[in-house]
Amino acid sequence: MRALGLLFLLTVAQASHASAERYIQLSMHVVKVLAANADGRINTGTGVQIDDTHVITNCHVVGIATNVIVARGSSGVPAQASSVDPRHDLCVMTTPHAMGRPVDMATSRTLKVGDTVHAVGFSGGKALSMSDGQVTALHEMDGALVIETDASFQQGASGGALFDTEGRLVGVLTFFIPGMKRHFAVPVEWVHSGNAASELPLRDATPPFWAAADEDKPYFLRAIQHENDGDWGRLQAVAKEWVEAEPNNSAAIKAAVRASQLPPLR
């Protein structure tokens, strides 16, 4: 029994060491983003170093800021927006030099449901943290896959990194559904899909797809939201519309089957 106990402790220690080593390696690619608004309030978010002079973050982190600082530890440098994609919620920021280590990327299509992923960001706007989890769903949108995961993160981690097991950036942490273990990262394929920016604050007020009016959201989000709200009637209507628009989409078919098994809204 003592030998088994020692073996268990050794296994736990090895796993803990591996997790700490992974955290150190992945954290080198991640930076803090401090966005100062005209009224003096500072919004804290996260960014990922994609090359020697560019950081990717969410537009909702920097969109209304007049000044942005990209920082690691006690050091920081000013940043300007060089590319903006408000609908996909991705802004590329230019800095004088790298504050983090440039990251390797892999497309969202290298993932499958059940794969292990690591979410790294400044959850709560405080210390950098890492959450391990799995890919729980992959949602087709605009030529790539929005990644749903149970690797949790909070406000402040927006713009952070979702890594695969090889330490490659596969997604940018963007939004979650409060009260549910449903967290979403937008795919790296969208990183360079934006238009050239002029100056801060950003002038384009287009809401991101996940915060758009209901009719402008992708079908998968509309279905998730109606199911979360217990609005079965609207879920059934959206599922029917989704199948008609995308008859070969397996997610649409599953949503329709699920909706047909739920009671109508009274």
Side-chain angles (χ1 to χ4, degrees):
M1 291 295 294
R2 178 177 295 180
L4 287 175
L6 290 174
L7 179 60
F8 173 76
L9 291 175
L10 179 60
T11 302
V12 170
Q14 289 174 335
S16 178
H17 176 76
S19 180
E21 185 176 1
R22 185 184 303 115
Y23 168 79
I24 292 171
Q25 292 172 341
L26 299 182
S27 68
M28 298 299 292
H29 305 295
V30 181
V31 297
K32 180 175 281 190
V33 177
L34 303 171
N37 301 336
D39 60 7
R41 289 184 295 179
I42 296 177
N43 186 31
T44 300
T46 306
V48 187
Q49 194 80 46
I50 56 174
D51 62 32
D52 288 339
T53 56
H54 293 97
V55 167
I56 187 73
T57 189
N58 288 139
C59 290
H60 78 258
V61 172
V62 298
I64 62 173
T66 53
N67 293 285
V68 174
I69 298 293
V70 169
R72 271 189 68 86
S74 59
S75 300
V77 293
Q80 293 293 326
S82 62
S83 174
V84 298
D85 185 354
R87 174 163 168 74
H88 291 151
D89 204 2
L90 288 173
C91 280
V92 177
M93 309 298 292
T94 301
T95 59
H97 57 82
M99 294 302 294
R101 181 179 298 170
V103 70
D104 292 329
M105 298 187 192
T107 71
S108 60
R109 296 194 185 277
T110 63
L111 296 173
K112 62 182 184 299
V113 172
D115 282 354
T116 297
V117 286
H118 313 285
V120 181
F122 290 90
S123 282
K126 299 179 181 178
L128 188 66
S129 61
M130 181 177 76
S131 174
D132 300 332
Q134 294 183 328
V135 175
T136 55
L138 293 164
H139 304 284
E140 187 76 43
M141 180 180 170
D142 296 349
L145 300 170
V146 176
I147 305 161
E148 184 175 346
T149 177
D150 57 7
S152 63
F153 57 90
Q154 302 172 10
Q155 290 182 344
S158 294
L162 189 71
F163 294 103
D164 65 11
T165 54
E166 295 182 33
R168 301 175 300 182
L169 182 71
V170 289
V172 177
L173 309 181
T174 301
F175 68 102
F176 57 90
I177 300 178
M180 301 179 70
K181 292 184 178 180
R182 306 189 77 155
H183 298 74
F184 298 83
V186 298
V188 294
E189 291 96 312
W190 292 348
V191 165
H192 297 295
S193 62
N195 298 315
S198 53
E199 59 183 17
L200 295 170
L202 303 179
R203 306 300 180 188
D204 193 330
T206 302
F209 71 91
W210 54 270
D214 190 63
E215 62 272 15
D216 294 326
K217 288 179 180 175
Y219 286 116
F220 78 87
L221 268 186
R222 293 164 65 184
I224 288 171
Q225 190 61 61
H226 295 329
E227 186 170 358
N228 184 40
D229 294 341
D231 194 338
W232 311 132
R234 295 184 72 182
L235 174 61
Q236 291 166 357
V238 165
K240 181 177 182 295
E241 183 181 344
W242 190 4
V243 170
E244 290 174 351
E246 302 175 18
N248 296 322
N249 188 319
S250 61
I253 295 170
K254 289 178 182 177
V257 171
R258 192 165 62 252
S260 69
Q261 298 171 342
L262 295 169
L265 184 67
R266 297 185 183 279

